[in-house]
Amino acid sequence: MRRMSRRIALVEDDPVLRENVADVLRRQGYETVVYADRAAAQSGMQTRLPDLAIVDIGLGDEIDGGFALVRELRARSAVLPIVFLTARDSDFDLVAGLRLGADDYLTKNISMPHLLARIAALFRRMEVLSAPPVTDEVVERGPLRLDLKRMSATWRSRPVELTLTEFWMVHALARHPGHVRSRDSLMSEANLVVDDATITSHIKRVRRKFQAVDAPFDAIDTVYGMGYRWKET
Amino acid sequence: MPRGAAPRLTIRVKVLLVALALAVIPLVGYGYVREIEKVLQAAHEQSVVATARAAAAALHDRPALLARRAEAGASEPPARAGSAEIELVIKGLRRAGSRIWVIDQDRNLLALEGSLRGEPEPAQPPEGLWGRFEAAVLRPFYALLLERPREDFDDALPESALSAGRAVDAALAGAPSTRWRQTPDRRAVVLAAAHPIWNGTEVAGAVVAEATTNSVLTLRNRVLEQLLTVTLATFVVGAGTLLLFASHLSARIRRLRDDAESAIDAQGRVRRPLRAVADGDEIGDLSRSFATLLDRLREYTDYLERIADRLSHELRTPIAVVSSSLDNLKSQPLPDTSRVYIERAEDGVRRLETILTRITEATRLERMLADAEREPFDLGRVVSGCVAGYAGAFPQARFALRLPERRVSMVGAPDLVAQMLDKLVANAIDFSVPGEPIEIAVDAAPGGATLAVSNIGPALPAAMRDRLFESMVSMRAGGAQGDEPHLGLGLFIVRLIAQFHGGRASARDRADGRGVVFEVFLPAGAA
């Protein structure tokens, strides 16, 4: 075993996709338990929470079964990493999913290597959160501080709650301040396969999160037709 | 209202035609009056006959009155006493408009009393509105229709009637008889009733009572006039009511038609629901069923519009199954000959995913437009930024940008405007002749600004011109030349974004005929 055996719960109603994803996870050494619907997942996770949960939104007859399940899981544990893996790609579902406390929202067209990278990143963040802080892998740009180990961001020393996707976007922008990052490059940095409009709404959400901490925040500049740029202060 | 060149029978015209059935009423009335006239004529005749008989009866067996005259022979002057007495007798029997004369066996006129001419009716000056209307309109109209009895006829006693009248012959022969004749000038009809005067068993002379039919005619005319007035009034009131009703009816139907037509736009989308009226009649029913129909139509078009969305959603899971299977397969030891097929399969899956993303782009955009935020921005800055980006994104293309010197401020969503320009430029690049520049121009226009993207290339296909900005319409020649699937959504997105800003998109051939111009007008509007 390359790594400590971690337990992943996969809740997915399509049997073939479920087995495919489970195979990929198992091959990576994760102990994987699969559930086909909400009831099975609830009873299965009753006694023991997994180390990470991957949940589809539509579960059998329950079109929003995944939302209910995640709400319940989040109520039981504030730190359990939860990932939505769903066919739904509307902004509405994405926002709803992230608001419920999911750590990431992935659409089903994500490739398996990308999925594994996201899972690994979430576990890494978990590890670092429980480990003593290290200061090496840190990006600092003026008031912005990105901790790559913890996947956490602070602005003027105040924490900004970013999802993994948002964190990677901010990281991609802030790594080369002043350089315009196209939407395509942001997408590949954040391992996202969505359209331009979704990138736009992600950026809007990121801006709002920073503005919630610091109202006059305007470090993310829109360069129409090209993309976005981190303004040097 | 008339939409065809051919004249149409509207409901109102039809109802008026139906109202013509009311015209039967005066006809029936006229027939009835004619019947009454016959009865009156008969009664008139009876009374004239009765007059003659009464006069004769008064002169019966009084040979002196007649004989004295006979004795006198032709000598003059005739015995006046007898004549005067006869006149006295018949004077008591005379009525207005009638005349009685008495002749002896030799057809000598013994006495004549009365005149055929009646008293002319005193002309009353018209009183009141109705009276004036009657005098000015109705009377001349009736005069055209009805023959008015005249009092200025020639009432001379024709010699022929005196000497050779068949009635007189019969009376002198001992048989009472009547005869109708016309006055010599044919202006009136005279009824003559002759009755023999008996002297014992022989006929001493005859009484002839004459009267015109004018009194009957006057009576008939008055009845007919009243009948005409009443039926005319009935017709006017009835037809007017029907016309009002028909107008009301056709107005309601027209309103329903206009509502139904304007509820659907040129693309067959239901713009707004039809407001069903509460009326309980058939038109209300029609309106309600139209409303139901439109609701269903809207549900169906909504369904059609959403089907792409649903389709892509439903397809994502099986595609994920395929791609995850391929990922799993790649981790297996495989001969190199198999790898190429895996790569091909992955390529196919990627293309499918691109199609799905494109399909949902329009619906996603529509959703996004619903809650897009508006902010003030400078159109020139957005366009110049975008064009600077295109130079990097499309190194093979050349761009020529023309901006107005002044700021072009407007209120809207700059991200969306940029997205719109992306689509226009992508479209221009696809159709432009390589090496020719793509011209992008922003111009101030009344009430806003225009953004035009022009390229040298094939002209617009005439058949598609009006449909270019619709969903799923592509003017590209079929066949997948590249791996970029074309769904004809680009220009649809342009239209959606233009509409969101209250503007409009249009396409036309270039003035020099060498290519096409796509132009979007954006109002400066305060959102």
Side-chain angles (χ1 to χ4, degrees), chain A residues 20 24 27 89-90 112 224, chain B residues 316 324-325 327-328 331 364:
Chain A
N20 269 350
V24 170
R27 208 174 306 120
D89 64 348
S90 77
M112 290 301 118
Y224 296 111
Chain B
R316 270 189 208 287
S324 61
S325 299
D327 282 339
N328 273 323
S331 66
R364 189 199 300 271

Side-chain angles (χ1 to χ4, degrees), chain B residues 146-166:
Chain B
L146 303 173
E147 193 190 341
R148 218 159 248 290
R150 308 176 60 145
E151 298 296 341
D152 57 347
F153 51 86
D154 174 13
D155 64 347
L157 198 61
E159 288 305 314
S160 60
L162 200 61
S163 55
R166 265 182 286 126

Side-chain angles (χ1 to χ4, degrees), chain A residues 88-101:
Chain A
R88 294 202 221 168
D89 64 348
S90 77
D91 268 9
F92 176 79
D93 288 322
L94 191 150
V95 172
L98 295 180
R99 271 198 191 139
L100 282 175

Side-chain angles (χ1 to χ4, degrees), chain B residues 256-377:
Chain B
L256 181 62
R257 181 202 65 192
D258 292 348
D259 277 359
E261 276 180 2
S262 64
I264 297 183
D265 68 9
Q267 274 79 43
R269 287 168 166 220
V270 179
R271 261 197 300 238
R272 56 186 170 78
L274 190 75
R275 44 177 202 284
V277 295
D279 302 336
D281 60 4
E282 286 85 344
I283 294 179
D285 274 350
L286 194 62
S287 142
R288 280 186 290 280
S289 76
F290 261 144
T292 320
L293 204 68
L294 280 176
D295 276 349
R296 290 200 185 129
L297 184 63
R298 191 180 40 186
E299 277 167 25
Y300 184 63
T301 41
D302 281 354
Y303 165 75
L304 284 182
E305 282 174 358
R306 255 179 298 144
I307 201 164
D309 208 21
R310 281 203 202 150
L311 192 69
S312 85
H313 178 249
E314 291 301 320
L315 286 177
R316 270 189 208 287
T317 302
I319 287 176
V321 167
V322 175
S323 65
S324 61
S325 299
L326 288 172
D327 282 339
N328 273 323
L329 197 59
K330 276 201 292 187
S331 66
Q332 311 288 323
L334 282 176
D336 283 350
T337 47
S338 303
R339 295 236 166 247
V340 65
Y341 296 112
I342 290 188
E343 276 164 27
R344 285 178 191 169
E346 282 185 321
D347 185 47
V349 170
R350 252 196 310 279
R351 267 156 68 178
L352 273 176
E353 279 171 1
T354 315
I355 293 174
L356 288 187
T357 310
R358 293 274 168 86
I359 283 179
T360 47
E361 200 174 2
T363 39
R364 189 199 300 271
L365 184 72
E366 279 178 325
R367 244 180 265 142
M368 212 170 78
L369 288 175
D371 48 20
E373 289 164 20
R374 292 162 201 265
E375 51 182 296
F377 67 98

Side-chain angles (χ1 to χ4, degrees), chain B residues 174-440:
Chain B
S177 95
T178 56
R179 181 183 171 231
W180 295 88
R181 67 172 171 90
Q182 280 195 315
T183 54
D185 56 6
R186 299 183 168 274
R187 280 184 178 168
V189 175
V190 175
L191 170 67
H195 202 279
I197 302 169
W198 296 99
N199 187 17
T201 53
E202 60 185 51
V203 177
V207 175
V208 179
E210 280 183 326
T212 59
T213 56
N214 280 2
S215 61
V216 172
L217 284 179
T218 306
L219 200 62
R220 182 200 71 181
N221 281 357
R222 197 174 303 142
V223 171
L224 276 181
E225 279 175 17
Q226 278 170 1
L227 179 80
L228 277 174
T229 307
V230 168
T231 50
L232 213 61
T234 311
F235 182 78
V236 166
V237 170
T241 312
L242 279 176
L243 195 66
L244 275 179
F245 178 66
S247 299
H248 176 62
L249 217 57
S250 66
R252 285 175 63 200
I253 293 175
R254 254 180 292 133
R255 201 178 324 126
L256 181 62
R257 181 202 65 192
D258 292 348
D259 277 359
E261 276 180 2
S262 64
I264 297 183
D265 68 9
Q267 274 79 43
R269 287 168 166 220
V270 179
R271 261 197 300 238
R272 56 186 170 78
L274 190 75
R275 44 177 202 284
V277 295
D279 302 336
D281 60 4
E282 286 85 344
I283 294 179
D285 274 350
L286 194 62
S287 142
R288 280 186 290 280
S289 76
F290 261 144
T292 320
L293 204 68
L294 280 176
D295 276 349
R296 290 200 185 129
L297 184 63
R298 191 180 40 186
E299 277 167 25
Y300 184 63
T301 41
D302 281 354
Y303 165 75
L304 284 182
E305 282 174 358
R306 255 179 298 144
I307 201 164
D309 208 21
R310 281 203 202 150
L311 192 69
S312 85
H313 178 249
E314 291 301 320
L315 286 177
R316 270 189 208 287
T317 302
I319 287 176
V321 167
V322 175
S323 65
S324 61
S325 299
L326 288 172
D327 282 339
N328 273 323
L329 197 59
K330 276 201 292 187
S331 66
Q332 311 288 323
L334 282 176
D336 283 350
T337 47
S338 303
R339 295 236 166 247
V340 65
Y341 296 112
I342 290 188
E343 276 164 27
R344 285 178 191 169
E346 282 185 321
D347 185 47
V349 170
R350 252 196 310 279
R351 267 156 68 178
L352 273 176
E353 279 171 1
T354 315
I355 293 174
L356 288 187
T357 310
R358 293 274 168 86
I359 283 179
T360 47
E361 200 174 2
T363 39
R364 189 199 300 271
L365 184 72
E366 279 178 325
R367 244 180 265 142
M368 212 170 78
L369 288 175
D371 48 20
E373 289 164 20
R374 292 162 201 265
E375 51 182 296
F377 67 98
D378 176 12
L379 182 63
R381 197 171 86 82
V382 173
V383 171
S384 60
C386 288
V387 174
Y390 299 145
F394 307 100
Q396 79 282 11
R398 286 199 294 132
F399 296 94
L401 174 65
R402 194 181 77 238
L403 292 175
E405 288 177 6
R406 288 180 33 225
R407 235 179 95 84
V408 188
S409 359
M410 42 187 53
V411 176
D415 283 326
L416 294 176
V417 172
Q419 197 179 345
M420 181 175 77
L421 186 58
D422 286 352
K423 299 295 174 196
L424 287 174
V425 166
N427 184 67
I429 286 173
D430 288 346
F431 286 97
S432 85
V433 173
E436 295 284 353
I438 287 161
E439 293 165 25
I440 301 164

